[in-house]
Amino acid sequence: MVLELQKPRPIWQIMFSTHHTDVGLLYLITSLSFLFMGGALALAIRAELFFPGSQIIADSMTFNRIFTVHGTTLIFLFIIPFASAVGNYFVPIMVRYKDMAYPKLNAIAFWMIPPSGALIWLGFADFTWYATPPYSIISAPGPAADMWIFGLKILGVSSVLGAINFVVTILKCKHPDMSIGQVPLLAWSFLTSSLIIIVAIPTFAAALLMLLTDRLGVSGFFNPAMGGDPIAYAHLFWFTFHPEVYVLVIPAIGMMYEIIPRFSRKPIFSHSSGIFAFVLLSVVSFSSWAHHMYATGMSFTEKTVFMIGTLAAVPASAMHVFNFIATMWNGRIKFSTPMMWAVGGIALFFSAGAGGVVNAAMPLDFQTHDSYWVVGHFHLFVMGTIAFGSIGYLYYMFPYVTGRMYNENMGKVHFVMSFIGTVLVFFTQHVLGLYGMPRRVFDYPPIPEWITMNQIASVGAMIIGTSMVIFLINMIHSSAKGKLADTDDPFNLGGKYYYPFESKNPHHH
Amino acid sequence: MGHHSNWPEWVYVGVVIALMCWVGAEAWNAERLVEHVPADAEVIKVTGQQWFWTFEHEDGTKEIGELHVKVGKAYKFEIMSKDVNHSFNIHDYVVLMDAVPGRVNTVWFAPMEAGEHDIQCREYCGLIHYNMRGKLIIEDDSS
Ligand code: HEM
Ligand SMILES: [Cu+2]
Ligand SMILES: [Cu+2]
């Protein structure tokens, strides 16, 4: 049993601990703090865009800094650390080992996150989450830009260290009685996403260093005034970050693989096809990066190659959706809060993927590229799929972490409001993109369709914001005062259903 | 691991693969046609810089922020940038191409009827990116 908060301990005991559940708890608290900080910035953006003209944000520089830090925070300081939290708690338990393979390295990887978060927030850079040169070299004001670069550099190292730890824990430390094929799908999701990290991240790490020396004026890799090429950066960046989007989504799918069968009270439809789809995704994720660059002047042949590489990833994603639906089919489904989030997340995953296919089809991308469509597209993944899977999982692990139950009604209200809000914001943004509104704009001309859709999106954002307040109250109140959980069967599923926590793990009490 | 047969999943995967092949083939074909620049297209040099567009016609006339073209002719834009990346966009005609310093990117279009359309920058380029806008004015040849 995990029960971290059951026995009160001084905070420093958790902070200096290297035990996987303590590090997991640190990851959890950190990532949730950044969720709320980044979310507050999103509300500022949506409030500003409610009407044309300046509303609550004084100038475009501030606005540009806000959306840059918003994106950077939620991707790197919420989604990734949240996955690490879940992985830290559950991967060792699932492979029946006493801890992560390298506990000290694990704690070090975590402790790199707060300083990078501080660099990103104290700097407040303005060059968007991809820091494209030559803007990032010749135009973006320091020291914010340099602080962002250092922050990301540290986060990259932290990711790679964490990934090595997961790979070794799963492959080398799993219980000898357990074959690799029997490892639960959640642990498989960490194995495959970690392998992607190890292959993908070094490229961006190199690009960041080159960006920094370019900014210092001692090199000109990406600076055309010094004979460099900005497009080279775009290739290096997307070579890392297209695979990285799968790093973000794969653990969320893994979390759904825990929730869906349990609350359907049925075994997963096909364990082996889940593994197969994870492995396939991690390989094909490397074949599509330049679909972000159709409009940079690539040749017809280049575009065709990357379109094919992109479409090749769709069957693997679709297999996960099939597996979930086939598992739920004829199941005795119990729609507790975690299940609602997981099922809602799958529906949004499907819609997001359909939009992705439109982006991938080259002539259509010239409609959608760098418009609000793209903002809608990837938010259906990062919010609709990944945050939904993660939040569902948070409700699911809540009784094991705190020993108490969250308030079920508040959890359901949180889900319903967030689902409605997500549909309102991000489906509308797709349409707004088709009407031609560019992304990353502080202000826009009073085109009637643009105004209406921005307002719908802003209302949706306020609904999500409100639901997150309910969520926060529920978490804080329930972890102190919630009713005690029956940790053998907290969701009242009937007791036959295996929970990873009470595993017959000799190392866990 | 299940002891059931898994054929429904393979049928489904087959259908998804077939759909993707169809999307890919259609996209390939459409893009091939769209990229075929007519031989008689007139060249317009487009330069992006923070935060406005300059246009230079074949006869040497220059315009800033406004671009005048004629119905029924084909135009080929040669797009450049003087400072950072921009993206030249006439959304109503699905004209979209990045302006990258050090490169010349091309895209073409043929206006169908007289009227006015928005020109905008679709790639983040800093402070006034939001207002890096212009007007495309399509005139009848007769006037
Ligand atoms: C699996 C989860 C996915 C995530 C997290 C994700 C995320 C993203 C992100 C963050 C961007 C925008 C980057 C930016 O410009 O700031 C993006 C763009 C794009 N995505 Fe996805 N995506 C996912 C899946 C897919 C799928 C399945 C497809 C296609 C089948 C796809 C196709 C595209 C394309 C073509 C673009 C470029 C659009 C453009 O800029 O014109 N994505 N995605
Ligand atoms: Cu991508
Ligand atoms: Cu611009």
Side-chain angles (χ1 to χ4, degrees):
Chain A
M1 221 81 67
V2 182
L3 295 183
E4 281 323 297
L5 301 183
Q6 268 303 54
K7 35 184 193 315
R9 286 176 295 165
I11 181 113
W12 54 264
Q13 240 182 45
I14 298 175
M15 289 175 65
F16 294 114
S17 168
T18 59
H19 188 65
H20 69 107
T21 55
D22 290 329
V23 178
L25 190 64
L26 293 171
Y27 268 119
L28 191 64
I29 307 277
T30 310
S31 65
L32 291 176
S33 313
F34 281 116
L35 167 65
F36 283 95
M37 291 163 72
L41 297 182
L43 293 182
I45 296 171
R46 285 313 326 164
E48 174 56 44
L49 294 173
F50 195 84
F51 288 114
S54 163
Q55 309 304 319
I56 64 159
I57 298 170
D59 56 80
S60 76
M61 185 46 113
T62 312
F63 182 86
N64 299 341
R65 290 178 188 276
I66 287 176
F67 72 67
T68 299
V69 176
H70 159 76
T72 311
T73 300
L74 287 163
I75 292 176
F76 299 107
L77 300 169
F78 163 58
I79 294 181
I80 293 183
F82 186 88
S84 304
V86 171
N88 264 285
Y89 264 103
F90 295 102
V91 166
I93 295 176
M94 285 182 165
V95 302
R96 295 201 262 144
Y97 189 61
K98 59 182 186 301
D99 202 333
M100 294 290 285
Y102 308 116
K104 290 201 186 85
L105 194 66
N106 194 29
I108 291 172
F110 166 76
W111 281 107
M112 297 176 105
I113 292 177
S116 5
L119 283 168
I120 290 162
W121 274 76
L122 296 176
F124 236 69
D126 78 310
F127 51 19
T128 84
W129 81 279
Y130 44 80
T132 318
Y135 181 80
S136 55
I137 301 172
I138 61 176
S139 245
D146 311 281
M147 289 166 79
W148 188 95
I149 291 173
F150 275 106
L152 269 274
K153 191 93 201 160
I154 302 172
L155 286 172
V157 177
S158 155
S159 267
V160 172
L161 296 181
I164 292 172
N165 221 339
F166 280 126
V167 171
V168 177
T169 308
I170 295 166
L171 293 183
K172 291 285 170 207
C173 305
K174 72 177 164 50
H175 195 279
D177 288 350
M178 189 183 228
S179 75
I180 187 74
Q182 289 167 329
V183 167
L185 286 170
L186 178 69
W188 262 101
S189 76
F190 280 90
L191 178 60
T192 43
S193 68
S194 300
L195 289 171
I196 301 179
I197 290 179
I198 293 169
V199 179
I201 295 275
T203 308
F204 180 58
L208 271 178
L209 209 56
M210 291 152 92
L211 200 61
L212 189 67
T213 52
D214 275 13
R215 273 183 67 81
L216 296 172
V218 295
S219 65
F221 298 109
F222 310 128
N223 186 353
M226 292 174 74
D229 186 1
I231 300 301
Y233 177 88
H235 279 293
L236 296 174
F237 181 90
W238 288 117
F239 180 83
T240 295
F241 282 103
H242 183 76
E244 180 85 2
V245 306
Y246 288 96
V247 171
L248 307 177
V249 85
I250 284 176
I253 305 259
M255 296 175 210
M256 293 172 181
Y257 272 125
E258 272 303 299
I259 296 172
I260 301 279
R262 206 136 290 135
F263 288 84
S264 305
R265 293 185 266 204
K266 250 181 83 191
I268 188 76
F269 171 75
S270 171
H271 187 83
S272 52
S273 97
I275 296 179
F276 179 77
F278 277 142
V279 173
L280 191 62
L281 264 186
S282 62
V283 175
V284 291
S285 69
F286 285 94
S287 66
S288 50
W289 75 87
H291 62 210
H292 298 274
M293 300 165 61
Y294 287 151
T296 55
M298 288 202 304
S299 71
F300 179 62
T301 314
E302 274 177 290
K303 282 190 292 234
T304 306
V305 168
F306 285 103
M307 173 181 73
I308 295 170
T310 307
L311 296 177
V314 176
S317 307
M319 282 174 78
H320 290 303
V321 175
F322 185 89
N323 221 343
F324 291 137
I325 294 174
T327 304
M328 284 157 58
W329 201 261
N330 282 334
R332 286 194 301 124
I333 301 178
K334 178 158 187 182
F335 275 105
S336 307
T337 304
M339 186 64 171
M340 298 183 104
W341 285 93
V343 173
I346 294 164
L348 296 171
F349 180 58
F350 181 83
S351 334
V357 173
V358 171
N359 290 336
M362 6 178 208
L364 298 180
D365 185 60
F366 287 85
Q367 287 270 5
T368 62
H369 178 64
D370 270 337
S371 77
Y372 256 96
W373 171 291
V374 171
V375 182
H377 158 72
F378 71 78
H379 278 90
L380 283 186
F381 282 111
V382 293
M383 172 74 195
T385 310
I386 301 166
F388 271 50
S390 301
I391 292 174
Y393 203 83
L394 181 61
Y395 281 112
Y396 176 61
M397 68 197 270
F398 189 86
Y400 300 103
V401 178
T402 63
R404 293 176 185 276
M405 261 335 252
Y406 58 84
N407 181 311
E408 184 71 32
N409 287 336
M410 284 169 90
K412 285 187 173 144
V413 171
H414 178 204
F415 166 76
V416 171
M417 289 176 72
S418 280
F419 189 83
I420 294 172
T422 300
V423 168
L424 284 181
V425 182
F426 303 117
F427 280 57
T428 311
Q429 286 185 341
H430 280 78
V431 185
L432 185 55
L434 294 181
Y435 276 103
M437 177 154 166
R439 61 195 288 204
R440 299 174 168 149
V441 290
F442 162 63
D443 192 8
Y444 55 95
I447 299 167
E449 293 86 358
W450 290 19
I451 299 179
T452 315
M453 282 176 208
N454 272 299
Q455 293 182 341
I456 296 173
S458 295
V459 169
M462 299 310 151
I463 297 176
I464 298 176
T466 314
S467 78
M468 290 293 168
V469 175
I470 297 173
F471 169 54
L472 187 63
I473 296 172
N474 194 359
M475 291 292 111
I476 293 176
H477 185 262
S478 304
S479 58
K481 298 244 161 75
K483 74 172 196 306
L484 290 179
D486 162 16
T487 38
D488 286 333
D489 186 12
F491 298 98
N492 227 339
L493 297 176
K496 287 192 307 190
Y497 303 94
Y498 164 79
Y499 293 99
F501 325 95
E502 30 152 45
S503 59
K504 316 280 173 285
N505 183 342
H507 295 297
H508 279 85
H509 19 221
Chain B
M1 257 161 272
H3 301 282
H4 48 80
S5 82
N6 205 357
W7 65 266
E9 183 161 17
W10 296 114
V11 171
Y12 160 88
V13 168
V15 171
V16 174
I17 293 175
L19 261 173
M20 290 307 117
C21 289
W22 173 71
V23 169
E26 288 283 331
W28 180 82
N29 195 37
E31 185 65 17
R32 193 173 56 92
L33 300 174
V34 168
E35 285 193 14
H36 181 79
V37 188
D40 61 347
E42 222 176 279
V43 173
I44 300 178
K45 292 200 167 107
V46 179
T47 307
Q49 70 197 86
Q50 288 172 325
W51 289 276
F52 59 95
W53 298 103
T54 326
F55 306 98
E56 187 180 333
H57 294 267
E58 259 179 10
D59 62 8
T61 50
K62 284 193 180 175
E63 301 184 74
I64 293 179
E66 266 189 13
L67 174 62
H68 290 80
V69 294
K70 301 232 151 43
V71 171
K73 273 193 168 169
Y75 295 90
K76 179 173 147 191
F77 296 112
E78 293 186 353
I79 301 162
M80 289 154 275
S81 164
K82 279 205 173 150
D83 40 41
V84 303
N85 293 354
H86 303 273
S87 193
F88 178 67
N89 177 217
I90 308 166
H91 186 75
D92 294 346
Y93 276 97
V94 200
V95 169
L96 178 79
M97 188 53 70
D98 289 357
V100 181
R103 294 192 176 219
V104 180
N105 286 336
T106 56
V107 59
W108 74 281
F109 93 127
M112 323 270 280
E113 51 185 290
E116 278 194 18
H117 301 273
D118 286 330
I119 294 174
Q120 56 187 10
C121 176
R122 253 210 358 220
E123 182 69 71
Y124 178 73
C125 57
L127 204 57
I128 319 286
H129 162 59
Y130 69 93
N131 204 18
M132 185 164 161
R133 305 183 65 85
K135 270 265 170 292
L136 170 75
I137 295 146
I138 306 173
E139 293 162 339
D140 266 328
D141 218 5
S142 49
S143 63

